[in-house]
Amino acid sequence: MKPLFVALVLVAGGLIATTPGMEAVQAFVRTQAADRIEREVEAGALGALLGGAGGKLLADNAPAFTERRSYLAASVYTVDPDGDADGRVLRVARQFIVIDELEGDD
């Protein structure tokens, strides 16, 4: 019983230690936004250029439209850049798991 408890404490401690800061969320927003812009534009180098610029712009402003709910071992981030569509992302063990895809006007 004691080894199981020690293992659980170590796993929980590891998860708590890997809970990200806003920098990790900004990097996630940057890559997600850039990928989406590139898919929508479909213009090769122009899409990559616009995707990079748009991703950086959104990532730089992510703290203004991102709300974090911490559960110690994991966090749920609500990302809402335009005020009418929410995307939710779970962050656990240094991984982002999309719960609700951020929807926009397509």
Side-chain angles (χ1 to χ4, degrees):
M1 184 72 169
K2 189 175 182 179
L4 178 62
F5 177 73
V6 171
L8 287 175
V9 168
L10 289 174
V11 168
L15 290 174
I16 291 169
T18 60
T19 300
M22 186 52 69
E23 298 83 22
V25 175
Q26 287 176 298
F28 177 76
V29 167
R30 180 181 300 114
T31 57
Q32 291 294 305
D35 290 347
R36 183 168 181 170
I37 291 168
E38 288 176 28
R39 279 194 316 268
E40 302 243 347
V41 172
E42 297 178 6
L46 178 61
L49 178 67
L50 292 174
K56 181 171 179 3
L57 180 64
L58 279 173
D60 290 346
N61 292 304
F65 57 77
T66 303
E67 177 186 318
R68 175 183 179 205
R69 218 177 296 164
S70 178
Y71 299 101
L72 288 182
S75 295
V76 174
Y77 292 89
T78 302
V79 181
D80 190 11
D82 60 2
D84 65 359
D86 292 339
R88 290 187 314 147
V89 180
L90 172 68
R91 171 75 180 204
V92 62
R94 295 186 184 233
Q95 298 294 316
F96 283 102
I97 301 164
V98 176
I99 299 170
D100 294 323
E101 188 73 33
L102 182 64
E103 297 294 328
D105 295 333
D106 290 336

